[in-house]
Amino acid sequence: MSIDSDLNEFLELVGKFEAENRPVDLSTIALELKRHVNEAEKVLKTALTSGLVEHNDGVLRLTDKGRSVVQAHREHYLHEEYGHGHSLMGRVTRLLEGRVRDWRGHWRKRHGFDDRALENFYRSLGELKGRIEEIQTLADLRQGEKGVVTLVLGGHGLVRRVSEMGLTPGTEVSIVRSAPFHGPIEVKVRGVSLALGRGVASKIFVKGLEKDAANGA
Amino acid sequence: MQQTEHERHLTVALAGNANVGKSVIFNQLTGLDQMVGNWPGKTVERAEGTLHFKGYTFKVLDLPGIYSLSTYSIEEIVARDYIAIERPDIIINVVDASALERNLYFTLQLLELEAPIVVALNQVDFASKRGIEVDAQRLSLALGVPVVPTVAIGGIGIDELLSTVVDVLEGKVELKPLRVRYGKEVEERLDNIESIVREKLPELSAKYPARWIAIKLLERDEDIETKVRSNQNGKEVLEYANAIVEEVERLHGEPSSVVIASERYGIVNNIARDVTRIVSPPKTALEERLDAVTAHRILGYPVLIAVMMVTFATIFVAGDFLVGVLDSLFEDTLIPIIAGALSTVMPQAFVDLIAGGFLSGIGAGVTIALPYIVPFYIILAVLEDSGYLPRAAFLMDSVMHKIGLHGKAFIPLLLGYGCSVPACVGCRIMETDRERFLAGLVVVLVPCAARTVIILGLVGSYVGLPAALALYLFDLVLVFALGRLAFKALPGEPVGLIMEMPPYKMPSMRNIGKKTWARTKDFIYIAFPLIIGGSVVLEILRSTGLAWSIADLMAPFINGWLGLPTITGIPLIFGILRKELTLILLSELAGTTNFSQILSPLQMVVFTLVTMIYIPCIATIAAFVREFGWKRAVGVVLIDILLALLIGGVAYRILAAYI
C-alpha cells in the first residue's frame, strides 16, 4: 500500500523485535512485511533519514521520535478499528467524525475517557509488546478460539472490575459461546465461566492463540 | 435453662462469592427464626438468624455474595464496611472448591482486611465430580487459617465447621493468617504509604487497618479516597499516594489496580496449584450438556419461552386458585362474621370502618398480593438456586439493552404481565441502584392480570378484540419509550454485563422453603401496614361521602379533559385499591353491567387507557416503597398519573377527530 502504512508496520516490527531482544535484519523484516527485500530496504532508508530508527551495534532500535510515531499509529489504528465498533451505526459515526485533530479531547469527549483512563491508555499503548495489528478484541474471537489478555481499554471502574474477575494481562481466555443479535459472549477464564456484554468484550484486547498452540501450553 | 459461664452472644458473618452455597450454609446454620430485610438505606438483602451451639448464642449474618471488596456494586461497599467497622467475631469464608482461584482472590482480601476467618471449603463433592481434589490441610497451611471441607446441600461438615469456629473463639486454635506479600516494587511502596497513613490519619487507621488503606489507595479506590480526603491531613496523604501510584504505573506500564489484581491472582494461582490435584481428566458433565442447550444461540430461546410459560402458568394457576379460596373465605365468611360480632358491641359506623377499611385491607393483602407473591418467591428461589437466571439474562441481554438495561431486567419485566408486585420485588436482581430503579419504573407500566381483565372486559367485549390488542400493543410501545426516556434522563452510566455463569445445580427444597418463608415475612411486615392504611382511608372517603366531593373536584379532568362521565371518577379512585375494582364499581354505580349504556366506545378506550396507566394499585405502591423508598414511589405515582391524563386526553381528541 502506501509508504506510510509500510513505514508504520516497519516501525512496529522494529519495536517488537527490540522488545523481544532479537536482532533484526532486512530479510526478516521483508518476510514479516511480505515484501521484497528491495522494498524493505527502501522503507528502512526512509526511516533512517527521518530519524525514526537508529543503528546500535548492528541492531535496529526505535528513536524517541520513532516511538512517538508508533504510539500515534497505534492510537489511530485502535480508533479506526475499534473506536466505534463494527456495526453500521459505528461506521457511520466514524465517517461523520472526519479527521480527528485533538486526540486527547476526542477520546475524552466522544469515548468517555477520563484523565486517569487516558493516562493509562497511552501508557498501555507504549508498553504493548508486539505489533498493534496482532491484537483483537474478545468480541472478535469465535467460539472455541483462545487468546491472551493484553490490555483493557476503558474507564477506571471497568478496567479494575475486569481484572478483578480474573482477566488480568497474560491470562488465557477461551470463548465458550456467544448470544445472537450482538448479545453477550461467554468466556472461560481461570476455570470459571463469565458472561460479558458485547460492549465489555470489545474493550478487552487479546492476542489470539492458535488452537493447537493453546492446547500445548 | 442452665446458664453456663461461657454463654455469650457472638456474631458470625458468612462471606464469599456469589453461587458458592453461602445461603445454603446460612440456612443450615439457622432455624426458621431468620429475618430477611435490607441493609440500612440500601436495597441490599440482609439475612440474619440465630444459632445455638455448645452453649453459645450466635447471631449469623449472611453478607451479599461478591467477588471483591472494591466499590463496583453497593453490595461490595456494604460488605467491606460491615467487616471492617462492625467487626464480627468471626467470618466464615465460603469457598467453592471447584473454582478455587477466583474464590481465593476474595479470601486474600479478607486477610488483608485483617478479619478473623475460618474457611468453609464448600462443594467438595461437585469439585471431585469434575476431577478436582483440594487438600484442605495444605490450604489451611497456606492461608494460616482453619479450612473445613463441606457439602452444604447435604449438611456434611457443618458441625465440624461450627466446632472449628468455637475452637477459634476459645483460643484452642490459633489463627496465623497469611500476610499477603506483593512484588518488591509494590511492597516497598505499600510500606511507605502505610506509615504515612498511620502517622497522618490516626482516626481512619483506627477504623480500617492501615495497610489495607494503603492498598486501597494504591488501587485508587474512590470510596477510600473520599474518606481520606475528608480528613485533616487527607490531601497531603492523597498527594503522596498518588505520586506513588504514578510511579508504580510507570514501572509496570499498567493501571495500578490491574497491577494489584495481577499480583493477587499470581499469589492465589500459586496456592491453588499447590493444593489442587487434578485426579481425572474433566469429562463433559451433564450440566455442561444442559448448558449447550439452554444457552444455545437458537435452541436457548424456545427453552426460555417454555420456562417463562411454566413460570407464568404456575404463578397464575396457583395464584388464581388461592385468590378464589381466600377471597370467598374473607369476603363471604370472615368479614361478615366479624362484622356481625362487632355490631353487637359498637355503633354501625365503626363496624363499617373496620370491616370495609381495616379488614378489607387485610383481605386485599392476603387475597391479592400473597397468592401471587408466594408462588413467585418459590419460583424465583428455584430459578436462582438452579442457576437458570444467568442463562436467561445471557440470551436477553441485547434486547434489554434497547431500554438501557441488561439481560437480567427481562425477568422482572415479564413477571409484570402477571402482577406488578413480584415484578417490583424482582427488580433487585439488578446490580446498581440506577438499574434497579429503571427496571422498577418500567415494570409497573406493564399491564398486569388485573389490567388485562379491564382491557378485555371493557374494550375487548364492547369495542372489539382488535381494539383491545391495539391497546396492549400501545402499552408495550409505551413501556419501551418510557424506558428509553428514563434511561437517557437518569444520571449514570449504563452498566455492561459482567456476570458469572455458575454451573447448574439441583436446588434443595429446604433452602427454597426457607428463602420463600423469610422473604414473605419481610413483605408482610412492610406492605401490609400500607395496604391496610390505604383501605381505611378509602373507606373513610366512601362512608363520609368525601369520595363524591373529590369526584366533583376531579370533574374538570375527568369530564373536561378526558371526555368521560363525571361518575367514572369514583371507580378510578377506588381502583387504587385493586384495579379490577374499577369495572365492578362502575357497574354498581351505573346500576347495569351493560357498559355500552353509560360509555361510548371512544369513552371505553379512554377509560381503559387511563386505568391501564394511571397508578399501580396500592399493593404495588407498597412493594415499590419497600424496594425504592418513599420519595421515588411518590415520584412514580405522580408521573404515572400525569402520563395517564396526558395520554387519555390526547387519545380522546385524536380518536374523536377520526371516529
Side-chain angles (χ1 to χ4, degrees):
Chain A
M1 257 177 34
S2 71
I3 188 100
D4 250 15
S5 72
D6 267 356
L7 185 64
N8 278 326
E9 280 195 53
F10 173 80
L11 293 177
E12 285 272 7
L13 271 176
V14 174
K16 178 184 169 178
F17 281 101
E18 198 184 323
E20 289 166 3
N21 263 327
R22 276 160 61 190
V24 57
D25 56 45
L26 262 182
S27 57
T28 349
I29 288 191
L31 203 67
E32 292 266 338
L33 282 176
K34 298 188 180 76
R35 289 279 192 283
H36 196 266
V37 183
N38 291 345
E39 284 178 86
E41 198 176 358
K42 232 190 276 170
V43 182
L44 172 64
K45 263 189 196 142
T46 326
L48 280 170
T49 48
S50 350
L52 301 175
V53 292
E54 58 189 13
H55 273 293
N56 199 337
D57 297 329
V59 177
L60 281 176
R61 285 185 177 286
L62 285 177
T63 60
D64 284 349
K65 193 176 166 197
R67 240 172 260 288
S68 66
V69 169
V70 168
Q71 181 93 349
H73 164 62
R74 289 177 171 181
E75 179 173 25
H76 299 175
Y77 176 83
L78 280 185
H79 185 256
E80 211 56 47
E81 289 290 311
Y82 302 104
H84 297 278
H86 294 299
S87 67
L88 188 65
M89 261 304 276
R91 279 171 219 266
V92 172
T93 314
R94 173 71 199 99
L95 212 68
L96 289 177
E97 268 178 10
R99 232 186 97 199
V100 181
R101 270 168 235 252
D102 169 23
W103 277 98
R104 279 178 179 266
H106 179 80
W107 288 110
R108 220 175 260 138
K109 264 185 238 130
R110 312 287 303 205
H111 300 272
F113 278 42
D114 52 14
D115 285 348
R116 280 179 179 182
L118 209 55
E119 264 339 291
N120 284 325
F121 170 59
Y122 283 121
R123 195 167 284 137
S124 317
L125 282 189
E127 290 286 329
L128 194 73
K129 309 267 186 289
R131 296 169 53 207
I132 188 82
E133 287 82 1
E134 284 173 356
I135 67 172
Q136 52 194 145
T137 73
L138 264 187
D140 298 327
L141 294 185
R142 273 171 228 219
Q143 188 166 332
E145 286 185 330
K146 296 188 179 194
V148 173
V149 179
T150 47
L151 95 128
V152 182
L153 281 190
H156 178 64
L158 179 84
V159 172
R160 184 172 174 190
R161 183 63 178 176
V162 164
S163 59
E164 283 187 332
M165 292 306 276
L167 290 151
T168 52
T171 313
E172 193 181 305
V173 197
S174 63
I175 310 290
V176 181
R177 61 174 64 84
S178 60
F181 318 118
H182 250 69
I185 58 168
E186 184 183 339
V187 300
K188 195 128 199 147
V189 60
R190 297 181 193 272
V192 180
S193 284
L194 287 182
L196 303 171
R198 193 67 63 146
V200 176
S202 57
K203 291 190 176 95
I204 301 171
F205 286 82
V206 295
K207 199 175 277 182
L209 285 178
E210 298 288 320
K211 276 186 193 175
D212 295 336
N215 284 337
Chain B
M1 209 174 76
Q2 196 196 350
Q3 195 82 20
T4 52
E5 60 172 328
H6 61 248
E7 178 148 344
R8 283 162 51 205
H9 288 260
L10 295 162
T11 312
V12 182
L14 289 164
N17 287 182
N19 312 307
V20 293
K22 216 161 46 66
S23 74
V24 182
I25 292 196
F26 176 73
N27 285 329
Q28 293 276 3
L29 293 178
T30 58
L32 273 176
D33 59 339
Q34 43 176 268
M35 272 299 305
V36 173
N38 276 356
W39 289 82
K42 309 261 164 49
T43 20
V44 175
E45 201 167 87
R46 176 189 168 119
E48 217 180 292
T50 321
L51 158 75
H52 302 280
F53 188 77
K54 287 192 180 168
Y56 287 91
T57 302
F58 290 104
K59 186 174 100 179
V60 186
L61 199 88
D62 193 11
L63 292 173
I66 48 178
Y67 300 101
S68 174
L69 290 174
S70 49
T71 51
Y72 180 71
S73 62
I74 333 165
E75 278 84 356
E76 294 187 352
I77 300 180
V78 163
R80 78 180 195 186
D81 276 349
Y82 176 79
I83 295 167
I85 297 164
E86 313 269 321
R87 304 218 175 148
D89 295 289
I90 201 141
I91 291 171
I92 296 178
N93 174 208
V94 186
V95 162
D96 179 357
S98 68
L100 205 54
E101 221 178 312
R102 227 264 323 282
N103 277 262
L104 288 181
Y105 183 83
F106 182 71
T107 309
L108 276 201
Q109 296 185 65
L110 286 178
L111 292 174
E112 284 177 344
L113 207 44
E114 290 165 24
I117 63 172
V118 168
V119 171
L121 185 66
N122 198 27
Q123 300 182 355
V124 280
D125 58 329
F126 182 72
S128 67
K129 243 193 351 210
R130 295 186 142 195
I132 304 168
E133 295 286 354
V134 180
D135 188 333
Q137 235 166 344
R138 274 183 98 105
L139 183 60
S140 168
L141 225 58
L143 296 174
V145 299
V147 175
V148 183
T150 56
V151 180
I153 286 274
I156 299 167
I158 301 295
D159 269 350
E160 210 197 324
L161 180 66
L162 277 175
S163 305
T164 312
V165 165
V166 170
D167 284 349
V168 170
L169 288 170
E170 288 178 348
K172 284 183 198 151
V173 171
E174 205 191 331
L175 300 181
K176 283 171 246 137
L178 163 81
R179 196 183 133 92
V180 182
R181 293 210 164 273
Y182 293 89
K184 195 165 152 271
E185 291 118 350
V186 173
E187 196 62 38
E188 277 169 6
R189 289 173 175 82
L190 268 182
D191 281 346
N192 293 341
I193 305 180
E194 187 188 338
S195 48
I196 294 273
V197 166
R198 227 182 263 285
E199 183 192 334
K200 304 273 180 187
L201 305 168
E203 266 172 56
L204 199 65
S205 38
K207 218 166 157 191
Y208 302 97
R211 184 177 155 90
W212 187 77
I213 299 173
I215 296 170
K216 289 290 138 184
L217 285 177
L218 199 55
E219 282 182 296
R220 288 192 144 161
D221 184 286
E222 286 96 346
D223 184 53
I224 284 296
E225 282 184 344
T226 318
K227 286 193 171 112
V228 169
R229 202 172 291 123
S230 66
N231 269 273
Q232 206 190 350
N233 297 321
K235 265 217 171 102
E236 193 185 328
V237 177
L238 266 188
E239 268 167 32
Y240 180 81
N242 280 340
I244 290 193
V245 167
E246 287 283 314
E247 244 177 76
V248 169
E249 293 191 342
R250 240 195 335 270
L251 269 169
H252 287 261
E254 276 160 9
S256 58
S257 61
V258 177
V259 174
I260 297 276
S262 297
E263 294 208 4
R264 276 199 200 119
Y265 266 112
I267 298 168
V268 158
N269 179 274
N270 275 336
I271 298 179
R273 247 191 307 183
D274 188 43
V275 304
T276 310
R277 229 160 30 100
I278 308 290
V279 264
S280 60
K283 48 180 183 250
T284 340
L286 173 70
E287 52 268 9
E288 262 167 54
R289 269 175 284 162
L290 204 56
D291 228 10
V293 178
T294 54
H296 189 271
R297 49 188 302 127
I298 297 157
L299 292 176
Y301 291 93
V303 173
L304 179 70
I305 291 169
V307 168
M308 285 306 150
M309 275 166 60
V310 170
T311 303
F312 258 133
T314 318
I315 291 179
F316 290 111
V317 170
D320 276 350
F321 173 75
L322 290 173
V323 167
V325 172
L326 294 170
D327 209 24
S328 62
L329 188 72
F330 257 82
E331 298 292 329
D332 307 338
T333 319
L334 270 179
I335 295 182
I337 289 174
I338 297 173
L342 286 177
S343 60
T344 58
V345 291
M346 59 174 75
Q348 192 56 37
F350 279 113
V351 177
D352 283 347
L353 187 62
I354 291 175
F358 189 74
L359 292 178
S360 299
I362 297 181
V366 173
T367 63
I368 304 170
L370 284 189
Y372 292 110
I373 262 195
V374 174
F376 165 69
Y377 277 149
I378 295 175
I379 291 181
L380 183 69
V382 173
L383 290 177
E384 273 176 357
D385 287 6
S386 64
Y388 183 70
L389 278 190
R391 273 79 191 175
F394 178 75
L395 291 171
M396 292 309 291
D397 188 58
S398 59
V399 178
M400 297 315 294
H401 263 292
K402 300 273 184 287
I403 50 171
L405 290 163
H406 61 63
K408 289 185 181 175
F410 170 67
I411 292 138
L413 197 68
L414 208 85
L415 287 164
Y417 279 91
C419 176
S420 305
V421 175
C424 270
V425 181
C427 290
R428 58 171 52 198
I429 59 172
M430 308 302 293
E431 288 90 1
T432 65
D433 192 47
R434 175 180 187 267
E435 311 221 293
R436 269 174 210 170
F437 182 54
L438 258 178
L441 203 65
V442 170
V443 295
V444 294
L445 275 179
V446 171
C448 62
R451 280 175 267 189
T452 304
V453 167
I454 300 167
I455 296 174
L456 293 179
L458 198 61
V459 176
S461 319
Y462 293 93
V463 185
L465 210 55
L469 287 178
L471 278 180
Y472 233 78
L473 201 70
F474 174 76
D475 198 77
L476 205 66
V477 173
L478 186 69
V479 163
F480 193 81
L482 198 79
R484 257 203 109 74
L485 201 74
F487 165 57
K488 298 264 188 243
L490 275 181
E493 280 287 299
V495 176
L497 186 72
I498 303 179
M499 172 182 71
E500 190 188 356
M501 302 273 272
Y504 276 115
K505 260 173 231 126
M506 196 66 202
S508 105
M509 290 305 289
R510 194 181 141 101
N511 207 35
I512 288 164
K514 281 194 171 178
K515 251 190 195 172
T516 307
W517 170 239
R519 284 175 175 166
T520 308
K521 227 166 49 175
D522 175 49
F523 179 78
I524 291 173
Y525 286 156
I526 301 290
F528 270 50
L530 258 174
I531 299 176
I532 294 167
S535 318
V536 171
V537 170
L538 284 177
E539 175 59 25
I540 292 171
L541 289 183
R542 193 193 66 80
S543 58
T544 54
L546 266 174
W548 275 261
S549 320
I550 294 175
D552 283 341
L553 279 178
M554 282 163 49
F557 296 108
I558 302 287
N559 199 309
W561 171 246
L562 294 173
L564 295 171
T566 311
I567 194 175
T568 52
I570 290 165
L572 284 178
I573 294 176
F574 288 97
I576 302 171
L577 197 56
R578 44 201 287 188
K579 283 248 163 132
E580 62 268 45
L581 260 190
T582 46
L583 272 196
I584 300 164
L585 259 178
L586 192 62
S587 72
E588 277 175 13
L589 286 172
T592 171
T593 48
N594 185 356
F595 294 113
S596 59
Q597 285 177 3
I598 42 168
L599 294 173
S600 70
L602 168 61
Q603 286 175 325
M604 287 181 187
V605 171
V606 174
F607 182 79
T608 308
L609 261 177
V610 173
T611 323
M612 203 163 76
I613 304 166
Y614 80 110
I615 290 186
C617 66
I618 197 143
T620 308
I621 298 176
F624 210 92
V625 171
R626 167 82 187 73
E627 293 301 308
F628 305 102
W630 276 104
K631 253 201 228 152
R632 286 173 161 184
V634 170
V636 166
V637 168
L638 287 180
I639 288 174
D640 287 354
I641 293 177
L642 288 177
L643 201 65
L645 283 175
L646 180 77
I647 290 174
V650 171
Y652 166 61
R653 278 161 185 80
I654 292 176
L655 292 174
Y658 283 96
I659 296 172

